[in-house]
Amino acid sequence: SQKIEQNSEALNIQEGKTATLTCNYTNYSPAYLQWYRQDPGRGPVFLLLIRENEKEKRKERLKVTFDTTLKQSLFHITASQPADSATYLCALENGGFKTIFGAGTRLFVKA
Amino acid sequence: GAVVSQHPSWVICKSGTSVKIECRSLDFQATTMFWYRQFPKQSLMLMATSNEGSKATYEQGVEKDKFLINHASLTLSTLTVTSAHPEDSSFYICSATRGSGAYEQYFGPGTRLTVT
């Protein structure tokens, strides 16, 4: 069956360091992959979309990689700040416009 | 741009009553809207996909007679939880995409439903 795996354990890092979150998937061949940020009690906010023919995408302090051979995406936040603390969701296209979300990884950035 | 609102943000209702949740795209026309529910520390679970003027497509296991979806216009979709029960208590979130070929979803702030 299809699976999206994100590290369920929270990631704790020091302010200024680079946070790296992992998204692994099985039994998918997504045309694109997305990352969202979700704060407690709020709806997710779109961050980045990367297509299957793109290896890397950047937006300000964010960088996403997409390895279709490894079936993995890495999400990096450089020069992390306490305001980056949130849950980050990986999402895959699953045919047409349907998107399947991972459970997310909670990130805590300590000042 | 791409702001989606939901109303109400939270609601408490008694078992057996119905609750309507509205989802509006404020500054764009949403070709497709999605309804999700989310349990604490769990992923978003897609309930249904709706396109303006047509019937919603429900995911397997989601009762369409229980969760009525109406996508009346390009800026408004509603979810009605009929004959609510305590197990329907959850966080309901809508999202919208704009334009054909657009994949990123713009989410509303969510509605916390508590059924007593």
Side-chain angles (χ1 to χ4, degrees):
Chain A
S1 63
Q2 297 165 323
K3 266 189 183 178
I4 302 175
E5 290 182 351
Q6 292 187 258
N7 194 340
S8 59
E9 291 184 17
L11 178 63
N12 292 280
I13 65 166
Q14 200 65 37
E15 182 177 12
K17 301 291 186 185
T18 296
T20 298
L21 285 70
T22 304
C23 174
N24 294 298
Y25 59 93
T26 57
N27 298 325
Y28 277 106
S29 293
Y32 58 88
L33 182 150
Q34 302 177 60
W35 284 88
Y36 290 79
R37 169 186 173 137
Q38 186 174 23
D39 290 286
R42 307 290 294 175
V45 174
F46 170 75
L47 296 176
L48 279 167
L49 180 151
I50 186 166
R51 299 181 188 278
E52 61 180 339
N53 60 348
E54 297 174 314
K55 294 237 185 290
E56 183 180 296
K57 202 94 174 259
R58 290 176 187 259
K59 179 182 175 183
E60 298 171 356
R61 294 185 294 111
L62 308 180
K63 184 178 88 170
V64 171
T65 62
F66 191 9
D67 189 326
T68 55
T69 302
L70 289 179
K71 294 187 181 293
Q72 180 182 79
S73 174
L74 298 179
F75 176 79
H76 306 272
I77 305 176
T78 58
S80 59
Q81 304 165 1
D84 295 326
S85 299
T87 296
Y88 291 87
L89 309 175
C90 165
L92 300 181
E93 165 264 344
N94 188 32
F97 288 101
K98 192 180 293 188
T99 303
I100 306 298
F101 287 81
T105 297
R106 188 88 169 92
L107 172 67
F108 292 97
V109 181
K110 298 179 197 173
Chain B
V3 179
V4 176
S5 70
Q6 265 183 258
H7 179 80
S9 56
W10 61 269
V11 57
I12 301 172
C13 70
K14 293 194 173 179
S15 194
T17 61
S18 295
V19 173
K20 180 186 281 189
I21 302 170
E22 289 188 350
C23 176
R24 292 180 186 272
S25 55
L26 298 184
D27 53 0
F28 67 101
Q29 292 188 327
T31 52
T32 305
M33 286 185 165
F34 303 88
W35 285 96
Y36 296 85
R37 66 187 295 184
Q38 187 176 35
F39 293 104
K41 297 186 180 179
Q42 293 190 26
S43 179
L44 297 166
M45 186 193 85
L46 180 65
M47 299 175 67
T49 303
S50 75
N51 294 289
E52 181 260 342
S54 59
K55 288 184 180 178
T57 301
Y58 289 82
E59 293 301 299
Q60 192 172 8
V62 177
E63 299 175 57
K64 61 180 180 183
D65 294 331
K66 172 112 180 122
F67 299 100
L68 300 177
I69 292 172
N70 184 8
H71 195 154
S73 73
L74 283 171
T75 60
L76 173 63
S77 176
T78 60
L79 167 67
T80 301
V81 182
T82 62
S83 187
H85 291 285
E87 57 265 30
D88 298 325
S89 299
S90 188
F91 191 52
Y92 292 88
I93 316 176
C94 72
S95 72
T97 58
R98 56 177 180 182
S100 59
Y103 302 108
E104 56 266 33
Q105 296 182 34
Y106 298 95
F107 285 84
T111 298
R112 172 74 57 193
L113 170 63
T114 302
V115 184
T116 59

